[in-house]
Amino acid sequence: MRVLLTLMLLLAAPLALAADPLSIPAITLGTNAAGAQEYSVSLQILLIMTALSFIPAFVMLMTSFTRIIIVFSILRQALGLQQTPSNQILTGMALFLTLFIMAPVFDKVNQQALQPYLAEKLTAQDAIDKAQGPIKDFMLSQTRSSDLELFMRLSKRTDIATPDQAPLTILVPAFVTSELKTAFQIGFMIFIPFLIIDLVVASVLMAMGMMMLSPLIISLPFKIMLFVLVDGWALIIGTLASSFGGV
């Protein structure tokens, strides 16, 4: 976040210099009594509007979205359905399930950072630091220590004593790596029963001499029927939600 703020300041500086001198004071940087920098309201709005373009990356890489959408995609592949449910439906389901799972984290961010900032009890920089706390706690609870150690070793940082001190530049890739591994583990367990149905149907067709008939055509109704009978969507969604039990 600090790198983002610095980049935005560098981009905004030429515009401020080229503007009318009467409008320059609207975009100012100041230093308070504690020595921290404060930004004018106009500059804060500019930075916030620019940061909105990073929301998709934030949703995909710093929340539960990655695990959910991968499991849904593997489920659709296991069923043998190429376009049903559609990508839009799967993405919408994953997005709202992410909001449900991340609601406690967002509530903490709202209480600890957003509301004090709106009440002018915190500066922009302090609000950013406060907002990172709940998000980092969530990612640390879902990140494997081996993955975190891998990126700490690759970064060659020797000043990090505990996982809590890991910056987002190290924590985010470690979190994403852990989420990918967990998602594929869940997807593997989902794939097994449908694979067994495919093998049984293929064996029966071969025994009957119907080798020219695709087993997928015969097994698809049975897989859909099995998924519906066991209330598959409720099981999958419940499993995904409970897998983030530490939130």
Side-chain angles (χ1 to χ4, degrees), residues 116-179:
Y117 172 71
L118 295 177
E120 300 183 354
K121 296 180 180 179
L122 292 176
T123 63
Q125 187 62 52
D126 292 337
I128 292 174
D129 294 337
K130 288 286 187 180
Q132 289 182 9
I135 297 175
K136 289 181 66 175
D137 291 341
F138 166 77
M139 290 192 291
L140 283 172
S141 67
Q142 305 299 326
T143 303
R144 292 177 173 83
S145 58
S146 58
D147 295 327
L148 187 58
E149 292 173 358
L150 169 65
F151 285 95
M152 290 176 63
R153 185 172 64 253
L154 292 176
S155 67
K156 298 180 180 179
R157 293 281 298 271
T158 59
D159 57 334
I160 303 175
T162 61
D164 296 338
Q165 298 177 357
L168 290 178
T169 53
I170 295 177
L171 182 56
V172 171
F175 169 74
V176 173
T177 303
S178 295
E179 286 295 281

Side-chain angles (χ1 to χ4, degrees), residues 15-117:
L15 298 177
L17 293 175
D20 183 43
L22 295 178
S23 63
I24 292 179
I27 301 179
T28 57
L29 283 175
T31 303
N32 58 22
Q37 288 185 336
E38 294 182 347
Y39 308 99
S40 65
V41 175
S42 300
L43 186 55
Q44 292 175 21
I45 294 175
L46 174 63
L47 296 176
I48 291 174
M49 295 301 293
T50 305
L52 290 177
S53 60
F54 291 86
I55 288 181
F58 167 79
V59 171
M60 288 187 293
L61 301 181
M62 299 176 67
T63 65
S64 58
F65 182 85
T66 300
R67 184 188 305 185
I68 296 170
I69 193 63
I70 290 177
V71 171
F72 282 168
S73 299
I74 294 177
L75 171 62
R76 185 173 65 179
Q77 188 71 23
L79 285 171
L81 301 171
Q82 301 300 322
Q83 298 297 330
T84 304
S86 64
N87 292 331
Q88 292 84 352
I89 293 177
L90 290 183
T91 303
M93 291 173 58
L95 180 59
F96 279 97
L97 187 56
T98 298
L99 293 176
F100 172 78
I101 294 173
M102 298 295 297
V105 178
F106 293 153
D107 287 341
K108 292 180 181 178
V109 172
N110 180 58
Q111 296 173 5
Q112 299 178 12
L114 181 58
Q115 292 303 324
Y117 172 71

Side-chain angles (χ1 to χ4, degrees), residues 214-234:
S214 174
L216 294 177
I217 300 177
I218 306 301
S219 63
L220 180 59
F222 290 98
K223 290 190 289 187
I224 294 177
M225 180 181 65
L226 172 65
F227 190 69
V228 172
L229 289 177
V230 300
D231 198 6
W233 285 114

